[in-house]
Amino acid sequence: MSDQDLTVSVENLRKTFKGPDGGEVAAIDGISMSVRAGELTALVGPDGAGKTTLMRMMAGLLKPDAGSLSVLGIDVAADPQSVQDRISYMPQRFGLYEDLSVQENLDLYADLHGVPEGERKQRFTRMLEMTDMARFTERPAGKLSGGMKQKLGLACTLVRSPDLLLLDEPSVGVDPLSRRDLWTIVQQLIDDEKLSVIVSTAYMDEAERCAQVFVMNKGKLLAEGAPDELKKRARGLTFTATTPDGMPARELQARLIDAPDFIVDAVPKGGNVSFIRQQDADEARIGELLRDAESEPRDEELEDAFMMMLRQHEAQDGEAAAKPATDKAAPEPRRNEDKPVIVVRDLVRKFGDFTAVASTSFDVAQGEIFGLLGPNGAGKTTTFRMLCGLLPATSGHLEVAGLNLRNARAEARGRIGYVSQKFALYGNLSVRENMEFFGGAYGLRGKALRKRVSASIEQFNLDPAAQSGILPAGYKQRLAMATGLLHEPDILFLDEPTSGIDPLARRAFWRTITSLAMSGVTIIITTHFMEEAEYCDRIAIQDAGEMLALGTPREVRKQAGDAGTDMNSAFIAIVEQGRAARDNKAKDKERAA
Amino acid sequence: MSASGFATRLVALTRKETRQMLRDRSNLVVGLVLPVVLILLFGYGLSFDVKDARVTVVLEDSSPTARNVVAGLRGSPYIAPTWASSMAEAERMIRAGQTDAILRVPGDFSRRLAAGDGQLQLLLNGVDSNTAAAIEGYVGGSLALPGQQQVDRGGNKPAAAANITIVQRMWFNEASESTWYLVPGLIVLVMTLIGAFLTSLLVAREWERGTLESLFVTPVRPLELVLAKLAPYIVIGAIDLIMCLLAAKYLFQVPMRGSLWIIIVSSLLYLLVSLGLGLFISATTRNQFAASQMALLASFMPAMMLSGFVFDLRNMPVVIQVISQVLPATHFMGLIKTLFMAGDYWPDILRNCAILALYATVLIALSRRSLAKKLD
Amino acid sequence: MARLITYIAQVLSLIRKELLALVKDPANRTLLFAPAIMQALLFGYGATYDLTNAPYVVLDQSRSAASTELLARLDGTGVFRRVASLTSSDQIAEMIDSGDALLVIGIPSDFQQRLASGQQAPLQLILDGRNSSTAGLASAYVSSIVTAYNQSLGNTSSLTIVRRAWFNPNLESRWNIMPALIAALSMMQTLMLAALSVAREREQGTFDQLLVTPMTPLQILIGKALPSMLVGILQSTLIFLIILFWFQIPMNGSVWLLYLGLAMFTLASVGIGLSVSAVSLTMQQAMLYTFMLVMPLMLLSGLLTPVRNMPAILQVATYVNPLRFGVDLVRRVYLEGATFADVASNFVPLLAVAAVTLPLAAWLFRNRMA
């Protein structure tokens, strides 16, 4: 192949960092790969696979320790500036200047990339239109919602048409609508400008759009190829099990995923359970597991192949994820539908003249998993903060375990657990120290505290001496969960707990949640992974502070109508219907006035 | 890359830095309000000049001679005498912090004076050693010497007395006012403050917020980043300099004997030095807290204590003098005081400006290097 | 009872966490104590108003026995150091301008003759007034030497003043400044630590996590205040030890009273710091506001210049400045050996500041909107 066809060529690349114990940790461990020009290429892999390190090396921000890396035919290590002059790079956390307005951020990057005045206008108009941000050009970037920030970040990277575009997990923490918008922009640019794009992602539906997929794990390349080719690895092993009436899909899912010898992976989907069986698993044993659930084959997806590869690699390494808390949990569900533990009536929260939460009402029963979904900035976090007593409500009634936590005695807070959106533990303390502190803050002490901490460390498979701040995302999330559960709360609030963590860790996480719910803990959770809504007993969809849908996943899918085949499209449909209705109402009002 | 690319990027980055500076109120408070507060505090609040020192007189000798001798205290503009009936009472006053010194006139004073050996006791509270020393001087100077009085009354010259008299001239600061040297020193402090403290947060903040990573992968060059960060703070520094100069001239009437333009040029040079230092600290620590602490320790505290601002360098042990010579603030402090009070003294100007220019170049080059577009 | 134990245990676990977080960061570790020690040493040597080795030059046009004798006395004090002997008055300006000499002593050619003939002999003294304090001191020294010389000529004025300085017999300015640093140096960091403690948690999102625990604002307040106080008092102790053993400035008062005073002073500082912290949303704001406060607090504390020299309005303003009372208290206890009754009045403003700022901070924890 000539240089013309290859944007990136990597040969035996190695990069090591100093580990916390002073030893060397190989982030990239002898990778060789070639990326073709004019195509969309995906890097997929769990936390710590080395995706970000590889991206940064391509962008000339890190120097390889060994091997060669050439981007656009240039040796990056020798001449990073020439590469940086020609590529665009969007890091995981795009560095928007939050005190500058949308327009000012765009201008800055246009100037830095030397976009001529003439082209600029047209480009900006197109970018603003594609990102749907033309209305907000004067707004400071810091006041945008997470999804908008990400779109603006992409717009800033794309102020000119680069020879290569690097996107490092562009959709982490972004809601389905913004995610769809992001991809529309990228796709259009690929179609119009023959852009070469390398994207790292944890979403398999995103990887499926790519021409070429590289699967990485622990600094090594596991597989490469077109999605269709990779998918084949799971051919014939994928099935759907129909859950018997009256049984939540997650119960069947839990049973299946707890049998790793026969089942590679199982997730609830559309009220049923999708699973992958082990190649050499005994047919009869699977039948036993399924009991009275019917199963039939389904088409394999990239995610299936990916999960298989990861599980295999993991089995070789002999590493276990968090153990679900099933062993100790009472098998008998303690659900009490009649007496809701959380009551929200006409809850309103305003910041100045901005309404963050508008007249919201819902109940959550004991032992229920209640999902609060909505685009970035829909008011989910505000609702959470009010429920936890961190923020006073402007008006309305709310009750958590019969109390309003804002004015309740401090001990009442001991009954709830709260895991906030971003990792909110002390980064420079060790895992054990963090847990001991929060345990202590919840009134545990002495032997009882030590016992709880040791048990949790074991249950979540954590390294007690590790420094919390430098743990991989999945481990941070486990630590946050472990900490939130130390005092065995009756009610658990989880704000986007799975954002930015890989599929394996997410499976383990949900296994813990489902078994907690079984033991009677009430769980309220927000997430941007719509397929995760399938684990919930009931979900609510919020947008612009208003409640658009409330019910079981099945009911919500039904509300979405034709679009409701899977949760992701159901969600998008409902939010868009809601927005259209709101726009109409606004127009009516204008007309009336 | 062409020169026009450089110019476009520099302008864009400078605009960005300026906007960020203007939008963050705390920056402006430290950059513009704090200097005003400092000007007022230094000009009005700080004074080494003892006024109305409290001297308690214990008159154990009630003779007219004794009264005459201490009467002179009342004439002194620096002393506010009070009276105590007994030594015990006066000592209690000194312990309670109600007086600074006791002047005791012993019972046999006039008798011994007549015998040519009059003795007074001065008891000082030495805790504030500076004030104590000053009081000692003032008391000595204001006591009316009986010999002189007699001379005056007689109208005659005293019998020939071979005596050395001191004809003293205080150059540069005839009235011996501490404001005159505090205010020029203030310019040093303010330039240090703007430079080191404000800029110390600049790069560290971008590291912490992750904005540098995006910025690095653009055609931007490290030098452009450095220059753009300096530019708005040079303006703030210049505004502060003008405020200081105006205050010095019109508010505190400090003489400005050197050329104004040399004062301005050298101040701007020093501003560059401290900006460079702040930026360098910021770029190397990558952490706002550590950066601000380092900046305080490396620039501000030494500028205040070891540059010859209030404490004369010539009184310090050699080791400390050597350390102080390493500090750019010391060189600027010496220069600015000379420029204000003494005038253009060229050897000083050239030497110090050369040193400052060298520091500025080195520090800015170092900042540029520490902003090399690397994450590891 | 069990409830009380739990209450205390909760506070203790917060204190433990705060201290761990401080000590675990290597940058913090060095920043906590190294600067205090370094500054104590540097300032101990550098921050002095006392004249030592003041450089002077002489223009001796008399070259007589009398002038030699006078200059020998000048050199013998140890205060002055002759750096050059000039030959012409043209050289004077150069010596002063360049700062090579603090003073120039000019002895006219008829110096000896005048003295011999019983006349007054003028001695010319030119001082560099760029630092008027130093110049004033030098002038006082010269005049005392000249007076002594005059006395030796047998022309004594019959009045002598016998000086005795309490608490600081040689009137060393180091004795004045160093004990004040016990309070002043540690305040910088105590304020900064307290100011960052809540702001950092807010910025990193951990503060919410703390607020949802059953801990009350009062518990959080205590848990946040005590570690900062502890660090402040440890720093003070370091400086105290350096002053006592390295600089050997004698301590006259009670150590207990000193520490009681320091504790109150630190409490008031921490109160201010925590209020700043509770108001600030970001660490940057907290740092800048603290810095805004520290400068005036230092300048208006009497550390460098006596409070009584300030204009009346500023003197009133110093009543809310804990450092003013901290400095005064430490100085008086350390040097004067003041008793509790002597310094009791200093405790009132310190307690008042703490009584306002601490509840304010606790209230702001929960009610400051993000």
Side-chain angles (χ1 to χ4, degrees):
Chain A
M1 271 185 280
S2 74
D3 270 3
Q4 286 288 304
D5 307 321
L6 281 185
T7 41
V8 176
S9 109
V10 178
E11 202 88 43
N12 273 322
L13 197 64
R14 265 185 74 83
K15 176 79 192 170
T16 52
F17 291 109
K18 221 180 213 121
D21 49 357
E24 300 256 288
V25 180
I28 296 292
D29 196 0
I31 283 187
S32 303
M33 63 202 275
S34 329
V35 179
R36 289 191 295 272
E39 277 186 1
L40 187 53
T41 306
L43 297 177
V44 299
D47 293 327
K51 300 179 302 245
T52 298
T53 309
L54 186 57
M55 286 264 187
R56 285 178 168 171
M57 281 197 278
M58 289 178 189
L61 293 172
L62 292 173
K63 261 200 164 51
D65 292 333
S68 74
L69 169 62
S70 94
V71 175
L72 304 169
I74 302 163
D75 180 1
V76 189
D79 187 7
Q81 187 64 62
S82 319
V83 174
Q84 288 162 356
D85 286 348
R86 291 174 57 194
I87 67 168
S88 282
Y89 165 60
M90 179 163 154
Q92 214 171 84
R93 194 169 58 143
F94 186 84
L96 288 171
Y97 291 99
E98 307 222 321
D99 35 10
L100 298 188
S101 72
V102 169
Q103 186 65 50
E104 286 163 353
N105 269 293
L106 282 171
D107 284 338
L108 174 66
Y109 278 91
D111 285 333
L112 294 182
H113 283 293
V115 181
E117 208 60 51
E119 288 172 34
R120 200 174 287 200
K121 197 162 176 197
Q122 193 198 348
R123 188 89 187 172
F124 282 177
T125 319
R126 178 147 177 238
M127 279 296 151
L128 288 170
E129 190 192 319
M130 283 200 293
T131 51
D132 192 24
M133 274 197 301
R135 294 164 288 161
F136 304 123
T137 49
E138 295 309 311
R139 191 180 287 188
K143 293 248 161 75
L144 297 175
S145 70
M148 300 257 271
K149 277 184 192 160
Q150 210 64 5
K151 283 196 267 180
L152 176 58
L154 185 64
C156 284
T157 12
L158 290 172
V159 285
R160 55 104 194 241
S161 181
D163 294 337
L164 168 67
L165 174 62
L166 300 176
L167 301 172
D168 192 5
E169 302 218 19
S171 38
V172 163
V174 173
D175 66 75
L177 276 110
S178 304
R179 203 153 70 86
R180 188 193 59 183
D181 293 348
L182 276 176
W183 278 96
T184 315
I185 302 170
V186 174
Q187 196 61 54
Q188 275 194 22
L189 288 171
I190 292 171
D191 296 346
D192 298 356
E193 292 167 7
K194 288 265 159 272
L195 208 59
S196 310
V197 183
I198 302 177
V199 59
S200 73
T201 181
Y203 287 90
M204 288 307 126
D205 60 334
E206 293 180 353
E208 213 148 345
R209 298 162 163 266
C210 299
Q212 182 84 349
V213 176
F214 292 91
V215 183
M216 295 173 65
N217 194 17
K218 298 198 174 129
K220 292 201 162 66
L221 202 58
L222 293 188
E224 59 175 293
D228 285 336
E229 232 163 284
L230 291 173
K231 255 191 228 178
K232 283 185 194 146
R233 296 172 182 236
R235 179 155 297 171
L237 302 173
T238 52
F239 298 89
T240 298
T242 318
T243 32
D245 281 342
M247 183 195 218
R250 64 164 194 259
E251 262 173 51
L252 177 60
Q253 184 262 345
R255 203 159 72 213
L256 292 177
I257 206 159
D258 283 349
D261 291 343
F262 316 106
I263 306 288
V264 179
D265 185 36
V267 285
K269 190 159 199 182
N272 299 320
V273 177
S274 296
F275 70 93
I276 315 168
R277 48 166 289 192
Q278 293 282 11
Q279 192 122 37
D280 45 4
D282 186 1
E283 201 72 48
R285 298 297 299 274
I286 291 178
E288 258 169 57
L289 270 173
L290 288 170
R291 286 182 215 159
D292 44 355
E294 300 282 327
S295 86
E296 53 188 68
R298 63 178 168 93
D299 288 344
E300 70 277 1
E301 285 173 54
L302 187 57
E303 173 143 17
D304 298 317
F306 180 60
M307 287 306 291
M308 281 178 68
M309 281 185 260
L310 290 187
R311 292 268 193 227
Q312 267 164 17
H313 202 241
E314 187 187 73
Q316 285 162 13
D317 277 25
E319 189 172 306
K323 273 183 232 134
T326 34
D327 336 340
K328 56 174 281 286
E332 197 60 34
R334 297 192 279 127
R335 272 175 77 172
N336 186 349
E337 306 266 349
D338 307 332
K339 208 181 127 271
V341 282
I342 293 175
V343 180
V344 176
R345 289 282 171 273
D346 305 319
L347 189 65
V348 175
R349 173 69 216 189
K350 291 182 179 168
F351 295 103
D353 48 3
F354 168 69
T355 308
V357 174
S359 146
T360 294
S361 306
F362 59 87
D363 293 339
V364 182
Q366 196 198 1
E368 197 174 21
I369 302 180
F370 185 82
L372 200 51
L373 313 180
N376 299 113
K380 305 182 302 280
T381 301
T382 309
T383 309
F384 259 45
R385 288 170 56 85
M386 284 190 282
L387 286 172
C388 295
L390 290 170
L391 198 68
T394 307
S395 69
H397 172 80
L398 67 109
E399 233 176 65
V400 175
L403 296 162
N404 181 343
L405 289 178
R406 182 116 189 118
N407 347 325
R409 289 181 58 88
E411 293 92 71
R413 287 198 294 272
R415 294 185 57 192
I416 64 157
Y418 174 59
V419 178
S420 68
Q421 195 166 353
K422 55 179 190 176
F423 177 76
L425 302 172
Y426 301 97
N428 59 359
L429 297 190
S430 73
V431 167
R432 184 185 288 280
E433 284 158 354
N434 258 308
M435 295 180 76
E436 283 179 347
F437 164 63
F438 279 103
Y442 277 100
L444 293 169
R445 64 193 143 83
K447 217 184 220 164
L449 174 65
R450 280 196 298 278
K451 237 173 95 182
R452 274 302 291 151
V453 169
S454 304
S456 296
I457 283 173
E458 200 188 330
Q459 183 195 338
F460 285 91
N461 192 23
L462 290 162
D463 171 9
Q467 193 193 325
S468 316
I470 53 174
L471 291 173
Y475 279 83
K476 274 189 186 166
Q477 188 277 328
R478 275 192 227 167
L479 172 59
M481 272 288 279
T483 309
L485 287 171
L486 264 183
H487 57 293
E488 300 177 303
D490 301 336
I491 304 162
L492 188 57
F493 289 91
L494 301 162
D495 197 2
E496 284 185 33
T498 48
S499 164
I501 66 171
D502 63 67
L504 278 182
R506 269 163 38 208
R507 299 289 192 277
F509 165 82
W510 274 102
R511 190 61 197 90
T512 312
I513 293 298
T514 47
S515 56
L516 279 171
M518 293 280 273
S519 67
V521 178
T522 311
I523 288 151
I524 301 153
I525 187 165
T526 70
T527 177
H528 283 316
F529 291 94
M530 289 305 131
E531 65 268 27
E532 291 182 352
E534 306 269 10
Y535 290 99
C536 300
D537 291 302
R538 284 190 308 139
I539 54 176
I541 297 180
Q542 239 181 345
D543 185 34
E546 278 175 56
M547 198 72 105
L548 298 179
L550 177 66
T552 63
R554 204 183 293 262
E555 286 164 1
V556 170
R557 273 197 305 276
K558 207 175 277 168
Q559 186 182 332
D562 297 339
T565 48
D566 66 280
M567 211 58 219
N568 207 43
S569 27
F571 173 84
I572 292 178
I574 288 177
V575 171
E576 285 191 331
Q577 285 162 16
R579 287 184 181 174
R582 205 166 46 237
D583 285 350
N584 283 340
K585 221 191 278 171
K587 271 183 207 141
D588 288 348
K589 223 182 241 169
E590 256 171 56
R591 231 171 286 144
Chain B
M1 276 285 135
S2 65
S4 84
F6 171 81
T8 321
R9 291 191 299 263
L10 188 58
V11 169
L13 285 170
T14 308
R15 196 184 300 134
K16 169 217 140 203
E17 294 292 340
T18 312
R19 282 186 175 133
Q20 286 191 299
M21 183 187 75
L22 292 177
R23 282 178 199 170
D24 187 340
R25 206 169 303 141
S26 55
N27 252 329
L28 291 182
V29 167
V30 172
L32 294 175
V33 180
L34 187 57
V36 174
V37 173
L38 288 180
I39 289 173
L40 296 178
L41 280 183
F42 274 90
Y44 293 115
L46 289 194
S47 169
F48 295 102
D49 310 328
V50 178
K51 287 187 189 97
D52 296 333
R54 297 168 303 180
V55 177
T56 301
V57 181
V58 180
L59 207 57
E60 292 170 354
D61 177 354
S62 54
S63 69
T65 325
R67 284 178 193 283
N68 259 334
V69 167
V70 294
L73 288 179
R74 261 181 276 188
S76 165
Y78 308 111
I79 296 171
T82 56
W83 309 89
S85 53
S86 71
M87 211 40 204
E89 188 195 339
E91 284 185 10
R92 202 176 35 71
M93 284 171 74
I94 215 170
R95 276 186 208 282
Q98 290 163 352
T99 187
D100 300 316
I102 303 171
L103 183 67
R104 181 182 180 201
V105 186
D108 57 357
F109 174 72
S110 40
R111 193 165 46 76
R112 289 184 66 169
L113 184 68
D117 181 26
Q119 274 198 355
L120 295 175
Q121 271 179 20
L122 181 63
L123 207 76
L124 297 159
N125 182 339
V127 171
D128 184 353
S129 51
N130 231 21
T131 307
I135 291 177
E136 188 185 357
Y138 295 142
V139 168
S142 63
L143 288 180
L145 284 174
Q148 287 171 348
Q149 281 176 336
Q150 283 161 8
V151 174
D152 289 349
R153 253 175 242 154
N156 293 319
K157 284 261 170 201
N163 231 339
I164 303 173
T165 53
I166 299 176
V167 183
Q168 177 181 319
R169 273 168 55 211
M170 180 90 88
W171 279 15
F172 312 135
N173 189 351
E174 293 75 2
S176 188
E177 282 206 51
S178 53
T179 319
W180 283 24
Y181 73 90
L182 287 179
V183 170
L186 178 63
I187 296 181
V188 183
L189 285 198
V190 169
M191 296 290 114
T192 312
L193 176 86
I194 304 306
F197 192 68
L198 282 183
T199 47
S200 72
L201 299 175
L202 280 181
V203 189
R205 185 169 55 204
E206 293 220 28
W207 275 116
E208 282 184 3
R209 295 190 184 164
T211 45
L212 274 186
E213 192 174 348
S214 324
L215 213 54
F216 278 173
V217 188
T218 64
V220 132
R221 305 293 192 272
L223 184 64
E224 296 160 8
L225 287 175
V226 171
L227 294 181
K229 291 205 175 286
L230 293 182
Y233 291 91
I234 292 179
V235 175
I236 293 276
I239 294 173
D240 289 334
L241 177 63
I242 292 168
M243 289 198 300
C244 287
L245 292 178
L246 289 177
K249 191 161 172 66
Y250 296 106
L251 225 45
F252 307 121
Q253 275 93 33
V254 178
M256 225 179 274
R257 294 182 177 128
S259 327
L260 184 62
W261 70 271
I262 301 179
I263 293 180
I264 292 176
V265 167
S266 58
S267 303
L268 291 180
L269 261 180
Y270 178 70
L271 181 64
L272 277 181
V273 174
S274 53
L275 286 170
L277 180 65
L279 217 53
F280 175 61
I281 290 174
S282 193
T284 37
T285 55
R286 300 185 181 188
N287 167 314
Q288 292 189 67
F289 173 63
S292 69
Q293 293 283 302
M294 287 273 292
L296 273 185
L297 291 171
S299 67
F300 199 76
M301 294 307 279
M304 191 144 152
M305 307 295 270
L306 298 180
S307 69
F309 176 42
V310 281
F311 303 109
D312 201 305
L313 288 177
R314 290 172 291 213
N315 296 337
M316 298 179 186
V318 183
V319 184
I320 307 283
Q321 286 196 31
V322 171
I323 295 174
S324 77
Q325 286 304 313
V326 177
L327 302 172
T330 309
H331 298 280
F332 181 51
M333 185 68 76
L335 179 60
I336 195 90
K337 279 188 181 173
T338 303
L339 283 172
F340 262 90
M341 292 190 277
D344 296 345
Y345 175 67
W346 281 100
D348 228 24
I349 295 172
L350 294 177
R351 190 174 53 95
N352 287 323
C353 282
I355 292 173
L356 291 179
L358 183 71
Y359 265 110
T361 320
V362 169
L363 284 168
I364 290 173
L366 282 174
S367 317
R368 200 205 75 96
R369 253 191 56 185
S370 51
L371 267 172
K373 308 208 275 179
K374 283 272 171 302
L375 292 179
D376 48 358
Chain C
M1 191 59 201
R3 191 175 255 184
L4 183 68
I5 293 174
T6 307
Y7 190 92
I8 294 171
Q10 284 174 323
V11 174
L12 283 178
S13 68
L14 179 55
I15 293 177
R16 177 163 172 264
K17 180 230 102 184
E18 293 283 323
L19 290 176
L20 271 175
L22 264 182
V23 182
K24 282 232 154 176
D25 191 337
N28 270 347
R29 271 201 301 267
T30 37
L31 280 173
L32 278 184
F33 297 110
I37 298 175
M38 211 179 70
Q39 291 184 74
L41 289 174
L42 275 181
F43 299 158
Y45 286 113
T48 171
Y49 297 111
D50 307 334
L51 221 47
T52 47
N53 277 319
Y56 81 97
V57 293
V58 63
L59 174 60
D60 185 359
Q61 287 168 324
S62 142
R63 298 181 179 282
S64 57
S67 67
T68 314
E69 151 98 54
L70 182 69
L71 291 174
R73 281 171 180 257
L74 215 55
D75 291 334
T77 55
V79 172
F80 296 103
R81 175 171 51 97
R82 200 190 310 179
V83 288
S85 297
L86 304 182
T87 49
S88 137
S89 56
D90 300 341
Q91 297 163 312
I92 293 176
E94 168 71 24
M95 293 309 290
I96 295 274
D97 283 347
S98 64
D100 289 342
L102 174 65
L103 62 156
V104 177
I105 291 174
I107 304 173
S109 51
D110 58 353
F111 187 69
Q112 172 115 19
Q113 286 95 305
R114 278 175 164 266
L115 280 180
S117 62
Q119 282 178 299
Q120 297 218 330
L123 183 76
Q124 206 183 24
L125 182 61
I126 296 169
L127 294 148
D128 175 359
R130 273 172 287 191
N131 186 327
S132 57
S133 300
T134 319
L137 270 176
S139 147
Y141 269 113
V142 172
S143 79
S144 70
I145 290 163
V146 167
T147 309
Y149 183 78
N150 282 340
Q151 281 177 354
S152 76
L153 291 176
N155 301 307
T156 359
S157 93
S158 58
L159 183 67
T160 52
I161 297 175
V162 182
R163 178 197 82 178
R164 197 151 59 86
W166 276 7
F167 315 129
N168 183 359
N170 299 318
L171 292 183
E172 283 181 63
S173 58
R174 180 185 289 162
W175 286 34
N176 174 39
I177 293 168
M178 292 302 282
L181 290 183
I182 296 178
L185 281 187
S186 68
M187 187 182 83
M188 281 281 292
Q189 295 237 312
T190 327
L191 259 182
M192 197 65 102
L193 273 183
L196 286 175
S197 69
V198 180
R200 179 187 289 127
E201 294 218 25
R202 262 196 225 278
E203 189 168 306
Q204 297 175 348
T206 49
F207 202 59
D208 277 359
Q209 205 70 55
L210 195 59
L211 285 180
V212 295
T213 67
M215 292 182 79
T216 61
L218 180 63
Q219 283 175 304
I220 298 177
L221 183 74
I222 302 173
K224 288 266 167 200
L226 282 179
S228 301
M229 284 182 66
L230 188 67
V231 171
I233 289 179
L234 277 177
Q235 285 198 354
S236 293
T237 306
L238 272 177
I239 302 164
F240 174 53
L241 293 176
I242 290 174
I243 295 171
L244 194 60
F245 293 111
W246 184 266
F247 291 107
Q248 304 200 329
I249 300 173
M251 160 91 174
N252 291 321
S254 130
V255 177
W256 293 114
L257 183 58
L258 183 74
Y259 272 84
L260 182 68
L262 279 177
M264 282 306 125
F265 163 68
T266 322
L267 185 70
S269 308
V270 166
I272 294 181
L274 283 177
S275 297
V276 169
S277 197
V279 170
S280 314
L281 288 178
T282 62
M283 288 166 71
Q284 190 200 354
Q285 278 181 7
M287 275 186 286
L288 291 179
Y289 290 147
T290 311
F291 193 63
M292 268 301 280
L293 277 176
V294 165
M295 292 299 303
L297 291 185
M298 289 275 184
L299 293 175
L300 293 179
S301 67
L303 173 67
L304 293 175
T305 63
V307 173
R308 279 198 311 108
N309 288 4
M310 296 169 191
I313 179 138
L314 286 180
Q315 289 196 34
V316 173
T318 60
Y319 276 90
V320 294
N321 180 0
L323 189 58
R324 178 202 160 162
F325 298 98
V327 161
D328 188 62
L329 202 146
V330 173
R331 264 186 190 150
R332 294 188 57 195
V333 172
Y334 193 109
L335 292 173
E336 296 182 15
T339 60
F340 181 76
D342 292 331
V343 291
S345 62
N346 283 343
F347 282 89
V348 179
L350 290 178
L351 281 172
V353 168
V356 172
T357 53
L358 289 170
L360 177 72
W363 183 81
L364 282 169
F365 286 163
R366 235 164 218 290
N367 292 286
R368 174 75 164 99
M369 287 305 147

